[in-house]
Amino acid sequence: MSTGLPHHQAIPVSPVATATSSVETRAAGPARPRRRRWTRFILPVYSWLVIAYLIFPIGVMILYSFNKVTAGLQQVSFAWNGFTLQWYKEWSNIPGLTSAFWLSVRLAIASTVFSTVIGTLLALALVRYQGRRFRGKTLIEQTMFLNIAAPEVVLGASLLGLFITINLARGFVTLLLAHVAFSIAYVAVTVRARMSGFDRSLEEAAADLGANSWVIFRKITFPLIMPGILAGALMAFALSIDDFVTSNFVSGSATPFPVWVYGATRIGIPPQVFVFGTAIFTVGILCAIASVIIGWRKPT
């Protein structure tokens, strides 16, 4: 419909419309940055406080492993008396401490090997087999989580009752059986979490190309789940080397490092305990770093 106006005649624009348009243009321009709220600092500060709470006792232990003690008193003193390397030079001078430490190391290594192998195979079975091929799967899963959730006092007392019932002398063997018993569940859960997103098509492709089960596991499955296996092994080692409650029940004549330290608190802790604690912490840090580096490496 024609408006009756010539095509060359411009339609007048009111000043109010012009002002409104300019205001809208300014409003549509770049917005001012919002002021950051102080609440954004809550989570970082909380995280660093938790880390400091966890690291502080370890830092104190490392610091006082270099502390001199009062002359004639071979016990830990929390009064700073000066820097010394004496306790690192005399690390084996306390009767019973060195043997207890090496017993804990051998126990931790042995229990880590057994629990890692058994836990990894258990995780593979829980992930691979379903339904009728694994009828006791639910029962095993519940038993694993009960093992993790059960207090150590209950586990130690029940194992002690078992060993007494079967007339098994308490010592290194009972310690090994106990440590493997409570470490398997942690390894299995860790490896199972690693396998949750595992791509089975890689194994199927290898099988189509003629690879047998052992070659498939060695070339494909094992490299892919290696980070989970290492994480489970580190957890088993840490649980074993610092376990006190269960070990105190089933140790018998064999005295591991945590049980020895507990007994020494009644008469005074020698500074060499801090030296061994520092060594254990250092080795644990190095193993954790190695595990992270291996986890970053992509399997070829």
Side-chain angles (χ1 to χ4, degrees), residues 123-124 126-128 130 137 188-200 221 224-225 228:
L124 287 170
L126 291 173
V127 173
R128 296 291 177 83
Q130 305 288 339
K137 179 180 178 181
V189 170
T190 305
V191 177
R192 184 182 181 183
R194 176 69 182 181
M195 295 188 63
S196 60
F198 188 82
D199 188 4
R200 294 292 303 276
T221 308
L224 291 176
I225 66 175

Side-chain angles (χ1 to χ4, degrees), residues 121-139:
L121 295 177
L122 180 59
L124 287 170
L126 291 173
V127 173
R128 296 291 177 83
Y129 301 109
Q130 305 288 339
R132 295 182 178 181
R133 301 182 67 186
F134 199 162
R135 293 184 180 275
K137 179 180 178 181
T138 303
L139 178 61

Side-chain angles (χ1 to χ4, degrees), residues 40 73 103 149 264 278 290:
R40 69 188 179 92
L73 181 64
L103 172 64
T278 302

Side-chain angles (χ1 to χ4, degrees), residues 230 234 237 280-294:
L230 288 178
L234 287 176
F237 185 86
I280 294 173
F281 176 73
T282 303
V283 172
I285 289 295
L286 293 177
C287 292
I289 294 174
S291 176
V292 172
I293 293 174
I294 294 175

Side-chain angles (χ1 to χ4, degrees), residues 13-204:
V13 181
S14 66
V16 176
T18 304
T20 304
S21 177
S22 60
V23 170
E24 291 178 353
T25 303
R26 287 197 302 269
R32 295 181 179 179
R34 293 183 179 180
R35 182 180 298 177
R36 295 184 177 180
R37 301 178 60 182
W38 62 271
T39 52
R40 69 188 179 92
F41 295 104
I42 294 179
L43 186 58
V45 171
Y46 172 77
S47 302
W48 282 110
L49 287 176
V50 172
I51 293 174
Y53 175 77
L54 296 175
I55 296 297
F56 180 75
I58 301 175
V60 170
M61 176 193 69
I62 297 174
L63 177 65
Y64 279 92
S65 67
F66 299 98
N67 185 28
K68 293 181 180 178
V69 298
T70 307
L73 181 64
Q74 298 296 316
Q75 297 176 2
V76 170
S77 172
F78 288 97
W80 185 255
N81 301 314
F83 182 86
T84 182
L85 293 174
Q86 176 185 358
W87 314 123
Y88 285 85
K89 298 176 182 178
E90 302 176 358
W91 62 273
S92 60
N93 287 359
I94 303 298
L97 175 59
T98 306
S99 59
F101 174 76
W102 289 119
L103 172 64
S104 288
V105 171
R106 294 195 305 270
L107 177 63
I109 293 174
S111 64
T112 298
V113 171
F114 283 107
S115 59
T116 301
V117 172
I118 299 173
T120 301
L121 295 177
L122 180 59
L124 287 170
L126 291 173
V127 173
R128 296 291 177 83
Y129 301 109
Q130 305 288 339
R132 295 182 178 181
R133 301 182 67 186
F134 199 162
R135 293 184 180 275
K137 179 180 178 181
T138 303
L139 178 61
I140 292 178
E141 289 177 343
Q142 296 301 323
T143 303
M144 274 196 322
F145 288 111
L146 285 176
N147 193 347
I148 295 174
E152 283 195 74
V153 174
V154 176
L155 180 62
S158 60
L159 288 172
L160 174 61
L162 173 64
F163 297 146
I164 292 176
T165 302
I166 63 177
N167 197 23
L168 181 61
R170 286 179 291 167
F172 184 82
V173 175
T174 55
L175 282 168
L176 179 60
L177 292 175
H179 285 212
V180 171
F182 64 68
S183 298
I184 288 176
Y186 291 93
V187 176
V189 170
T190 305
V191 177
R192 184 182 181 183
R194 176 69 182 181
M195 295 188 63
S196 60
F198 188 82
D199 188 4
R200 294 292 303 276
S201 62
L202 298 175
E203 296 178 335
E204 295 172 356

